[in-house]
Amino acid sequence: MTEPCVFCAIVAGEAPASTIYRDDAVMAFMDIRPVNAGHVLVTPLKHEMSVLSLDDDTASHMFTVGRRVAAALKDAGVRLEGFNLFLANGTVAGQTVFHAHLHVLPRFTGDGLGFTRNANVRMPPQSELDETAERIRRAGGWE
Ligand code: 5GP
Ligand code: ZN
């Protein structure tokens, strides 16, 4: 049996959410455990675990609505000097709700959030970057 999806329940109006925006493809609502005040989630109405399973229009629309929410946050009095648009796809990337969603994260100096780079970050030789780029071009059908 598949686990019930909390975001599907929100979309269906069966679970409560503090909704900001809704159209025929996506909705935006407040994160129940905000990492900073004003933390918003934008999610497609359709259940897909991976953003890669969404059609292009819906996936791009998530970004469009995320931008609009970010633009509204400051006027709404949210403490914000910048923001992150963040999407975790897959457990290893930090996804914990398996219904694709985009985080809109207000950021301010000293908020204690941030990505940390792993210890083995290095600058690879150009040839290695070229070789990787070529493989991705081929896989994407862009050559
Ligand atoms: P993820 O870790 O999958 O990128 O993000 C899941 C987010 O959903 C978390 O920030 C978490 O606080 C939020 N969340 C989990 N359950 C609920 C819920 O029932 N309602 C709302 N509004 N947010 C939720
Ligand atoms: Zn769902």
Side-chain angles (χ1 to χ4, degrees), residues 32-136:
I32 205 170
R33 292 182 63 215
V35 296
N36 275 337
H39 181 175
V40 173
L41 303 172
V42 184
T43 196
L45 305 188
K46 182 175 187 275
H47 179 95
E48 291 293 352
M49 179 175 126
S50 168
V51 71
L52 298 183
S53 303
L54 296 169
D55 60 86
D56 281 352
D57 283 348
T58 304
S60 347
H61 193 49
M62 284 168 73
F63 188 83
T64 300
V65 171
R67 280 179 70 228
R68 289 186 194 143
V69 169
L73 286 176
K74 204 161 192 174
D75 287 342
V78 168
R79 186 169 180 199
L80 174 146
E81 294 161 13
F83 61 87
N84 288 115
L85 295 180
F86 174 78
L87 189 150
N89 210 73
T91 306
V92 74
Q95 187 173 11
T96 58
V97 173
F98 296 99
H99 180 137
H101 53 279
L102 182 68
H103 295 256
V104 185
L105 292 174
R107 299 298 308 273
F108 53 87
T109 308
D111 65 13
L113 299 175
F115 282 102
T116 50
R117 292 193 166 221
N118 49 11
N120 54 359
V121 168
R122 66 190 176 102
M123 194 185 264
Q126 189 70 45
S127 57
E128 187 179 320
L129 298 176
D130 287 346
E131 194 269 328
T132 306
E134 189 188 335
R135 277 191 284 120
I136 298 170

